[in-house]
Amino acid sequence: MAEFVQRRKEEMIIEVPVLNSHFKKSAVKNILNQREKFEYRLMRRNKQKSDFTLYITFLKSIIKRVEQMGSTSTESLKLVNQHNNRIIDLYRASLKYFKDDVSLWKEYIKFLMKCDKIELLRRVINSALLLHGHISDSLYVFAVKQEFEDLKNIQKARELYTDGLNAHKTSSKLHFIAFKCELKYSEILTQKVLKSGKELNQEDPAINGSVAKIIYESAIENIKNNHALYFKMYQEAAQYSFSLGLSEEIKKFMLTTFSKDPNYWDTLARNELLSKSSNTEKFKITKCLDKYDTALTVLDTDEMWDKYLTTILKVTSDTQKTEVYKRNLLRQSMFNAHKKNKLKPKHYIQWIKKSKSSMTTEILDLAIKAYPNDTSILEINIEHKLTDTEELKAYDLFKQNAIKVSPSIWLKVVDYFFNKPQISDIFNMIFGDKAVCTNEVKQKLGNEYLLWLSKNKSLNDVRNAYYKLITSNSCDASLCNTMVTLETEQQKIDISKIRQHFTLACMQFGKTDIDLWMGRIYFELKYGSPKLVSDTYHQALTTLNNEESDQFAEQYASRVSTFNKISKI
């Protein structure tokens, strides 16, 4: 194993000069170390898919970093090509062990498409189809796209999509790619005839879109409930003059088949906003809302209203353009929906966020009347009242509903009242014997609690709170850092107490938290005994998990000079 890795390492040395021209020496060293680790993993008897995919991901990240540099030099291209070739080798090797993994084949194919490795791509797709064509329609889609778009081979593309549709009769993706290819091919033939000066034969099935129509009819027969497929077909057919009749046929089919489907109407309406026409934004919005109005006359359901309101809120999110028009549109639409009891709590909240602050109270009153017990609206109400004039109302609301509100509200309330008399009661609700909040709140506010105690209570109170939190899984390792900072700010530093703090923290978080051990070493160097650093270092190595232990050793080595300076002060 070691010999093989060494050989691979020697091969990598060839890349070092090119790597040095793009990265710092420390980064190059790290890249080589990481690759060596990956190579060792590939030598294991019981190989895992992740042994290959993680290595591939790492190499792709190097390529991405090089490409982001924007260099088109020979050296850059050489480096990218070297990494691409290694990735191809890794995909090949991985598929020897995991050839039944369809997702791995797809990843390989996508990579080759991106690298523009046409011939290799063709061979890989053929191999994938032989193994998995019967279970994966996506492989056929890849194959058809490559044959038609890259290799310009319509006959081979037809063979592939025919085979694919025989195996996957209900595949929307295959029907669409076949439909798209045939329309595009008809357009290519049409342009050739026009350029030659000959007269178009509208009866020629290769030119008039008849083949595409056959595929559309196959879709109707095999795929009943996919409005998105037919909408894409409609959009595709509408691009060409020879298939306008087909596009109208598809449009009528959709209206007949999907008139009770909210998703169909939503797609139809939103498409007006995506139109590439030269019409103004206001015109597009009007056309979009007209479609929704039609939809709501046909389908007056909560789901349809939700889609309509979601779009209203989206199109009015940017009020820089036609600001007055959009604000009036938002106000009118939302009030109308409120009167019809169609607004959900989320709609009221978004309405508040997108409206002027002067309207907040009015909208909140409507929301509370409609949903008096909704927590999300309650929280918006508390936030709104956290002002000098209504802070007592906000505090009363919060206290009455403390058990219901989310951690974010606890954080905002603590932040607002931190220097006010109410904070004592609030912290008691969080950390007292009858706490009413979750551990998540305690974890996020533990440091603030210690800081508040240090200013308003005694150091012993701070220590007692720390012991309680650190031993009850109600904090993270940062609490130790806060406690140590408070201890070292005292006129007389109690070294033994601080060591106790570290011991408790390391018992809880010592297996995973590298910074905690670094902080402990820093403390001994600056305030405690440098002689204990060695013991602490080895204790960290044996306590930390394997991966964290390696990282700790690397970080410690990089900080040795800094630590030495501290110990000399």
Side-chain angles (χ1 to χ4, degrees), residues 395 398 410 413-414 417 422-430:
Y395 182 62
F398 169 74
W410 280 91
V413 168
V414 167
F417 288 104
Q422 293 89 344
I423 193 63
S424 179
D425 287 339
I426 295 171
F427 275 138
N428 191 47
M429 285 191 280
I430 301 172

Side-chain angles (χ1 to χ4, degrees), residues 418-477:
F418 194 78
N419 294 311
K420 296 177 183 286
Q422 293 89 344
I423 193 63
S424 179
D425 287 339
I426 295 171
F427 275 138
N428 191 47
M429 285 191 280
I430 301 172
F431 300 105
D433 294 333
K434 296 182 179 180
V436 294
C437 67
T438 62
N439 268 350
E440 182 183 354
V441 175
K442 292 180 181 180
Q443 288 173 356
K444 290 183 176 180
L445 290 171
N447 294 300
E448 284 78 3
Y449 182 45
L450 294 188
L451 293 172
W452 179 79
L453 285 173
S454 70
K455 292 179 181 179
N456 297 278
K457 305 289 182 179
S458 69
L459 181 59
N460 279 335
D461 288 323
V462 181
R463 288 169 176 167
N464 290 335
Y466 172 77
Y467 295 148
K468 182 179 178 181
L469 290 172
I470 204 76
T471 56
S472 63
N473 295 321
S474 298
C475 66
D476 56 33

Side-chain angles (χ1 to χ4, degrees), residues 449-468 479-498 500-501:
Y449 182 45
L450 294 188
L451 293 172
W452 179 79
L453 285 173
S454 70
K455 292 179 181 179
N456 297 278
K457 305 289 182 179
S458 69
L459 181 59
N460 279 335
D461 288 323
V462 181
R463 288 169 176 167
N464 290 335
Y466 172 77
Y467 295 148
K468 182 179 178 181
L479 196 73
C480 180
N481 184 51
T482 301
M483 188 68 239
V484 171
T485 300
L486 293 174
E487 291 278 11
T488 54
E489 288 174 350
Q490 305 302 311
Q491 286 186 340
K492 185 177 180 181
I493 299 174
D494 192 329
I495 302 296
S496 62
K497 284 288 185 185
I498 296 176
Q500 288 177 25
H501 301 331

Side-chain angles (χ1 to χ4, degrees), residues 92-141:
R92 282 173 170 165
S94 65
L95 287 167
K96 288 180 181 178
Y97 294 96
F98 307 102
K99 64 181 179 181
D100 293 333
D101 192 318
V102 179
S103 64
L104 196 57
W105 283 99
K106 289 180 182 178
E107 287 175 23
Y108 187 21
I109 289 168
K110 288 178 182 177
F111 177 74
L112 292 176
M113 292 173 78
K114 185 178 179 182
C115 294
D116 206 25
K117 303 275 187 180
I118 302 299
E119 287 304 317
L120 178 57
L121 174 60
R122 192 175 199 178
R123 294 198 300 272
V124 171
I125 288 176
N126 288 337
S127 298
L129 285 174
L130 285 172
L131 284 169
H132 302 297
H134 63 293
I135 60 172
S136 175
D137 59 341
S138 295
L139 293 175
Y140 277 105
V141 172

Side-chain angles (χ1 to χ4, degrees), residues 500-557:
Q500 288 177 25
H501 301 331
F502 273 119
T503 299
L504 286 172
C506 288
M507 287 170 64
Q508 292 289 335
F509 310 106
K511 289 186 176 182
T512 57
D513 200 295
I514 296 170
D515 289 338
L516 179 61
W517 290 103
M518 288 294 183
R520 191 168 184 175
I521 288 172
Y522 177 85
F523 164 75
E524 291 295 349
L525 287 170
K526 188 168 184 179
Y527 301 102
S529 171
K531 294 179 181 179
L532 295 178
V533 169
S534 178
D535 290 341
T536 304
Y537 174 82
H538 287 97
Q539 187 182 352
L541 289 179
T542 55
T543 304
L544 286 162
N545 294 329
N546 290 339
E547 188 173 344
E548 284 81 1
S549 181
D550 291 342
Q551 292 175 16
F552 171 78
E554 289 178 12
Q555 288 187 29
Y556 181 84

Side-chain angles (χ1 to χ4, degrees), residues 54-205:
L54 290 175
Y55 194 179
I56 289 168
T57 301
F58 175 74
L59 292 176
K60 285 180 179 178
S61 71
I62 302 299
I63 294 172
K64 186 176 180 180
R65 286 166 65 184
V66 173
E67 290 174 342
Q68 286 174 342
M69 294 175 186
S71 173
T72 56
S73 66
T74 304
E75 292 293 295
S76 295
L77 295 175
K78 183 179 178 181
L79 182 59
V80 170
N81 190 52
Q82 287 171 340
H83 281 65
N84 281 340
N85 289 337
R86 182 60 183 139
I87 290 172
I88 289 170
D89 289 341
L90 288 168
Y91 272 123
R92 282 173 170 165
S94 65
L95 287 167
K96 288 180 181 178
Y97 294 96
F98 307 102
K99 64 181 179 181
D100 293 333
D101 192 318
V102 179
S103 64
L104 196 57
W105 283 99
K106 289 180 182 178
E107 287 175 23
Y108 187 21
I109 289 168
K110 288 178 182 177
F111 177 74
L112 292 176
M113 292 173 78
K114 185 178 179 182
C115 294
D116 206 25
K117 303 275 187 180
I118 302 299
E119 287 304 317
L120 178 57
L121 174 60
R122 192 175 199 178
R123 294 198 300 272
V124 171
I125 288 176
N126 288 337
S127 298
L129 285 174
L130 285 172
L131 284 169
H132 302 297
H134 63 293
I135 60 172
S136 175
D137 59 341
S138 295
L139 293 175
Y140 277 105
V141 172
F142 286 138
V144 173
K145 285 181 70 174
Q146 195 217 10
E147 289 296 340
F148 182 71
E149 295 178 7
D150 297 331
L151 302 177
K152 315 301 181 188
N153 189 338
I154 185 63
Q155 294 305 324
K156 182 63 176 177
R158 282 172 175 165
E159 289 175 17
L160 285 165
Y161 77 62
T162 301
D163 290 343
L165 289 173
N166 283 332
H168 306 281
K169 295 183 185 299
T170 60
S171 171
S172 299
K173 291 184 288 186
L174 256 177
H175 274 93
F176 179 68
I177 194 66
F179 183 81
K180 184 178 179 180
C181 286
E182 291 298 348
L183 286 177
K184 185 66 177 175
Y185 184 63
S186 293
E187 174 66 6
I188 291 170
L189 291 181
T190 299
Q191 294 304 319
K192 280 185 178 179
V193 172
L194 291 175
K195 285 180 181 179
S196 68
K198 296 179 182 178
E199 187 177 346
L200 282 174
N201 180 6
Q202 300 294 345
E203 301 302 317
D204 186 346

